[in-house]
Each structure stands twice: as C-alpha cells, then as structure tokens.
Amino acid sequence: MTQSSVQGEGTLQRVRHADEDSAHAGRTTAGTAQGNSPGTEEEPESGPQAEALHGGRRARRAPRLGGRVLRWTAGAVALLVVGTAGAGYLYYRHLNDNIKEDHLNLGDSDVAAPTPNAAGQTPLNILLIGSDARDSEENQKLGGAKETFGSPPRADVQMLLHLSADRSNMSVVSMPRDTLVQIPKCTDPDDGQVYEASNGRDMTNLSLSNGGPGCTVATWQELTGIHIDHFIMVDFAGVVSMADAIGGVPVCVDANIRSRDSQGHGSGLELEEGTHPVKGEQALQWLRTRYGFGDGSDLERAKAQHMYMNSLVRELRTNATLGSPNKLRKLAEEATRALTVDPGLNSVKKLYDLSNELRAVAPERVTMTTMPNRYVGARVEPTEDAEQLFRLVREDIPLDGKGQKKKRTTEPVSGDPAAPDAEIAVQVQNGTRTDVLGPANRRATEVAGLLTEAGFTGAVPDPQTPPAEKVTVVRFPSADLEGDAQAVARALKIPLSSVRRSTDVSGVTLVVGADWREGTVYKAPARSDKLPDTAEALNGADDGACMHVNPAFSW
C-alpha cells in the first residue's frame, strides 16, 4: 500500500471557502460541544463526583472559533461515509463549502514525522477534539449550563487515533480532560496573539482556549512526543443529526440507569438494563454520561465512548439502510456541516481518501485505550505506564500484540550539535524511589560525580526529590539542548530512546531511576512491547462489552 495521500501540511494559513468575501476572512464558526441536558448544571471536572471548576485559565480574548465540537465519534462517522453521497460537481462544491478549518499547530516547535518504512509508508496520527462550549442557539437547546454561553471553550474530549504505517491496525488513546500537563506557548498566526506557556501544570482541557485546536495539538505533541498529522472537531448538534442518519448505535448497560442526581447533575440518560440502539439526543446523552457509570469519573465516560465507537463502526459496516442514496446524502450533509479540520483535510476528496484507509482496518485490529493515570487530588497525571503507551504509538507497535515483530531501528541522533562537555549544565535528580523502597541514599550526588569524572564539570545534584522513575531518563526543554542531552546519555551509556523533550524541566536534567539504584555502570533494562494493563484496552470486535451502572443511579 502506498503512503497516505492526506499527510499533514504543518501550520498553514486558513484557506477561505469559495463563497467567502473579505468581510469573512476570519475563522468561521462551528457548533459547540459537550454539555448537560437542558437546564442542568455544568458537570464537575474530575474524579468521583468532584466539584465543578468554573474558573481556571482563560484566553485573553474570546476565540474567533465561536462554536466548537463535541465528539470524535461523529468524526468517525464523517470519515467513514463523507464523499459517498455526492451527486455532481455542484453538490461536491456544496459539501466542500460546509467544511470549516483552522490551523494545525500553534506551538513554537513540532515533533519530527516518523521515518518511512521500507515500503515508503508512515503512520497517520489524528487528534480528535471535543469542547464544552455552547456558543450557538441550536447547541444551547441540546444541553447545557446557560452561564457558560459565549465563554472560551475547553477541550473536554481528546483522543488520538493512530493508523499504522502498513494500515493493518489502528489504536485510539483517550486522555482524561483534567490531566495535569504544561500547556506550551501558543501563537495565533492570524493576529499574532501570544498565549504564554502555563506556569506549572494546568488541566489539558484548557488548551483549546489558547487560540484554538492548534494549541491542543501542540500540548499533545509536547507531552507524548508523537507527531500529529491532523485534527478533527465535530459540533454538538452534528452528533444528534448523524446518529439519526445512521439509524442508531447499539449500547449496553448492566442495570437500569437514570443519569441525574438530586442537584440536577447528569446527562439525563435513561435506559433499561440490556442492549439498546441509541440515536439523536439519546446518543448524545450516552456520550456525555459519567454520573451513573461506575465511580462517576471521566475514566468511565471514556469507556462508554469507546463502546459507542466500536459499535458505530460495526453498524456502518453492516447497516443496510446506509445503502439508500437519500440517507447517505443526509449523512454526508450533516457530517460536513459538523466538521472543523486542519488544512490537510479541508475537502471532501481528502476526507474520502482518509476514510478508505480507515475502513480497511478490520474491527479486531482496532484497540481502544485510556492513558494510564493516577489521581493528584481531584485531577489526574500520566504515570510511567503512560510513557510506555506513548512509546508503543511512537514506534508504531500494534497495541493488540499481533502482526510481525517490529525490528529495532537505529536510535535517532539529534542534528543539534552538542556543546563541549565542560560547558553543559546538568541537574541530577534522585528518582530511585519505588512502591516498597525509599530513594537510594545520595544517589544524585554519586551519579553527578560520575558525570564530573567524565568531563561534565557542570553536573550538580538536585537536593529536591522528584517523582519516582522506573527507568533512568534524560530530559531537555527545547530543541537547542537536545544535542547536549544526548551527549550526557552517551557518557553514561543510557539509550538515546531515554532522552526526551519535556517542558517540566528548565535545562538538561538526568533523573536516576529505580533501575539504577547502585553501581557505576548503567545497564538498560530489557524493553517490553506489551501494552500496560492500566491502559484498559477494548478490542474493536468486542460486541459483549457492557457499562456497569452505579446502584445509586439505578431504578
């Protein structure tokens, strides 16, 4: 198979629709996104029934993309069918004009694209974004807290879709909306508006307020080291229309559920025990529900979304009603109206080409995951297992464990020249603590001494105790220090794969992990390509999954 014809085009200026004039040269608006049933309160941000966060970091101005999207699932519908209902050139032009676009990456730097395989193929990574903004009358009617009308949107749904280079398998990685990350500096190329990097860590869903989806893309790339080719956003009302067009999606609950508490929180979803097709507003309620599923956390909502997407794909493959030209036309119309994309996906032809690639993957080769995380108060942060998941995606290793074993490639050497060893400042931290052992005594001092003996006279131990690290790692904050960080790694025989860019550090930082609690010679542990159990994988062919209902929300 040839390389994808829809690879990303970088940060580009917005291309206006053919019917736009100079008065409409700014960004157009989509609908909006995630909310509650009419008249209900805003849902809390995180954790089991955590308190709502109504403040937080805000953009300095209201973004010009007034209406944002809701669900990546609607994006999946659009990708699978858009373009098949065209009836002539004029209708094709009409569908093209429905599609809205925005910049791909507003960050100051990018992650290099993967090296093509022997067949010239590269993986394809698409970020699917949802928002809690409610900026249109249509979307406001479908759900939400009235007090949030017109406020800056937040990216409450974020999922990375990874299509393998050989197009044999696909992975989806969900990130909880309240994951604590450092949002990078983002610049709006339309007006030069600068959104400074977060001071410390903020919830990842705030990234959308900083100029649009391009800042959410930049945030993902900084955290994961994964090159993102495209993004897709779908508006709130579009989810309802497209669910109607396909005739419903089967979902399952293990008990009767009514998602509403005494304070009015909840999506309003009401279903009897068993499997039922949901469509329209009921489908939207399913995708928004967390009150009533398990412990009421965002993690439970992600599971429900994974179940919906799996069922949706199976339905699109087998549902005979989609053979109707009129239904296909309606679906194509609703899908294109709902979409906001980057310039690399700004036409029906590009979306249709992409849909053909996605449809080629069998459901049993699709793996849904949630980023491994742990609670920090009412929020969450990535764990060591999250880095393992990100590495598997970066290296295009199938998450289902099937297929040929990926051959190890030569580790990439930075094009940034290293400074002389004696001029490289290095902070050495003791991250050797484990679940059962405290930090190894004076380990940062000992390893800093090894670097000094090797000529890195600027190496000093950091008296602060960092978070525990299972594996020793060298971090650097910006591209101009990558060569220096790799020089440090080579001096201690640390694999270059353990040299990572991170906005959590201000200079080259060596964190001595639990794998090097003693001794003067580092021995890298054998790497495992197994998906961590904490990723809570769901196979795309699993039609027996059922959401567990919290008894407090049953009837």
Side-chain angles (χ1 to χ4, degrees):
M1 187 177 290
T2 59
Q3 185 175 346
S4 169
S5 60
V6 290
Q7 294 295 314
E9 300 175 23
T11 303
L12 301 178
Q13 294 295 320
R14 180 180 179 275
V15 181
R16 289 183 289 155
H17 291 315
D19 58 351
E20 290 179 328
D21 56 27
S22 58
H24 295 81
R27 296 180 188 149
T28 57
T29 59
T32 51
Q34 184 181 358
N36 299 335
S37 298
T40 65
E41 299 178 19
E42 178 87 6
E43 290 190 6
E45 293 290 334
S46 174
Q49 318 299 348
E51 295 182 357
L53 176 74
H54 293 288
R57 228 162 125 263
R58 294 298 189 198
R60 297 176 184 171
R61 60 174 174 78
R64 286 185 291 177
L65 271 174
R68 299 289 188 197
V69 299
L70 174 66
R71 298 292 184 198
W72 65 279
T73 45
V77 178
L79 292 175
L80 288 167
V81 300
V82 72
T84 62
Y89 178 69
L90 291 180
Y91 188 68
Y92 174 82
R93 284 282 302 275
H94 167 72
L95 292 180
N96 274 347
D97 288 345
N98 283 345
I99 301 169
K100 295 162 285 293
E101 68 175 76
D102 200 356
H103 303 282
L104 175 60
N105 185 357
L106 300 185
D108 288 345
S109 61
D110 199 0
V111 173
T115 302
N117 62 16
Q121 302 165 310
T122 56
L124 193 63
N125 295 307
I126 304 167
L127 188 61
L128 306 162
I129 306 172
S131 162
D132 71 347
R134 301 169 183 88
D135 293 342
S136 73
E137 183 176 350
E138 181 181 15
N139 286 312
Q140 189 73 45
K141 289 178 181 178
L142 286 173
K146 309 300 182 187
E147 69 274 11
T148 65
F149 188 87
S151 63
R154 292 175 292 189
D156 276 2
V157 177
Q158 299 178 36
M159 297 186 177
L160 180 69
L161 186 154
H162 171 83
L163 184 60
S164 66
D166 63 6
R167 302 309 190 249
S168 68
N169 64 90
M170 184 162 57
S171 308
V172 176
V173 179
S174 297
M175 184 188 296
R177 63 178 177 172
D178 51 1
T179 300
L180 295 175
V181 299
Q182 185 168 42
I183 299 173
K185 176 183 175 182
C186 293
T187 304
D188 188 332
D190 289 335
D191 59 8
Q193 174 73 45
V194 175
Y195 301 87
E196 296 297 338
S198 56
N199 182 16
R201 296 192 299 178
D202 278 324
M203 294 191 306
T204 184
N205 69 346
L206 298 177
S207 60
L208 191 60
S209 300
N210 289 10
C215 196
T216 305
V217 168
T219 300
W220 266 78
Q221 291 196 154
E222 287 280 358
L223 176 67
T224 67
I226 298 169
H227 176 80
I228 295 176
D229 301 284
H230 302 290
F231 75 81
I232 295 174
M233 302 199 306
V234 184
D235 81 18
F236 193 13
V239 176
V240 172
S241 300
M242 286 188 284
D244 285 341
I246 66 172
V249 175
V251 295
C252 177
V253 288
D254 66 2
N256 297 345
I257 182 174
R258 181 180 291 120
S259 179
R260 182 77 74 218
D261 68 10
S262 59
Q263 285 75 44
H265 296 135
S267 69
L269 177 72
E270 188 168 328
L271 285 175
E272 294 183 357
E273 177 183 351
T275 300
H276 308 275
V278 294
K279 62 181 180 178
E281 189 170 355
Q282 194 175 48
L284 186 65
Q285 290 173 333
W286 176 273
L287 295 167
R288 290 194 293 107
T289 296
R290 64 185 183 88
Y291 282 93
F293 287 156
D295 65 1
S297 69
D298 285 331
L299 306 180
E300 294 296 318
R301 174 155 48 194
K303 292 179 185 177
Q305 292 168 356
H306 292 168
M307 181 189 298
Y308 184 94
M309 188 273 185
N310 283 345
S311 184
L312 174 63
V313 171
R314 290 194 298 269
E315 197 71 10
L316 285 167
R317 287 174 176 269
T318 61
N319 193 338
T321 63
L322 289 180
S324 163
N326 286 336
K327 291 197 173 187
L328 280 174
R329 184 186 298 272
K330 179 182 178 182
L331 186 52
E333 181 76 28
E334 297 296 344
T336 52
R337 286 180 58 195
L339 289 178
T340 301
V341 300
D342 67 274
L345 292 177
N346 64 355
S347 73
V348 170
K349 174 63 167 60
K350 293 176 182 178
L351 289 166
Y352 185 55
D353 288 345
L354 178 58
S355 76
N356 284 335
E357 295 192 87
L358 296 179
R359 281 188 293 183
V361 180
E364 57 267 21
R365 296 303 312 279
V366 177
T367 305
M368 309 284 175
T369 67
T370 299
M371 181 198 76
N373 60 83
R374 58 178 162 246
Y375 279 109
V376 180
R379 313 295 176 222
V380 299
E381 66 181 6
T383 63
E384 296 80 4
D385 284 351
E387 174 52 34
Q388 168 76 346
L389 174 58
F390 298 153
R391 180 182 68 80
L392 295 178
V393 174
R394 285 195 301 268
E395 297 183 6
D396 196 27
I397 297 173
L399 299 188
D400 58 9
K402 300 177 182 178
Q404 293 183 342
K405 188 73 174 178
K406 185 177 178 66
K407 294 180 180 179
R408 298 297 183 193
T409 57
T410 303
E411 292 183 322
V413 176
S414 172
D416 170 55
D421 294 350
E423 296 179 11
I424 298 176
V426 186
Q427 286 278 330
V428 182
Q429 299 179 340
N430 185 354
T432 58
R433 178 173 53 84
T434 71
D435 292 338
V436 296
L437 297 173
N441 189 37
R442 291 179 50 81
R443 195 60 184 144
T445 299
E446 292 171 352
V447 175
L450 295 177
L451 280 172
T452 300
E453 291 175 6
F456 292 83
T457 54
V460 296
D462 185 343
Q464 302 299 318
T465 301
E469 291 283 353
K470 288 184 178 180
V471 178
T472 299
V473 63
V474 182
R475 295 192 172 100
F476 63 97
S478 56
D480 61 324
L481 291 177
E482 183 176 18
D484 293 356
Q486 290 194 352
V488 171
R490 280 192 291 267
L492 297 174
K493 295 183 171 52
I494 297 172
L496 296 188
S497 58
S498 293
V499 179
R500 300 168 193 160
R501 183 170 177 175
S502 171
T503 53
D504 289 337
V505 298
S506 58
V508 177
T509 303
L510 167 62
V511 185
V512 184
D515 60 339
W516 198 17
R517 289 178 60 88
E518 59 184 10
T520 59
V521 178
Y522 179 71
K523 295 180 180 179
R527 294 202 308 174
S528 170
D529 291 341
K530 182 180 181 296
L531 179 67
D533 292 338
T534 52
E536 299 185 340
L538 177 65
N539 186 270
D542 184 356
D543 59 2
C546 207
M547 289 302 298
H548 174 62
V549 175
N550 185 322
F553 290 85
S554 190
W555 51 278

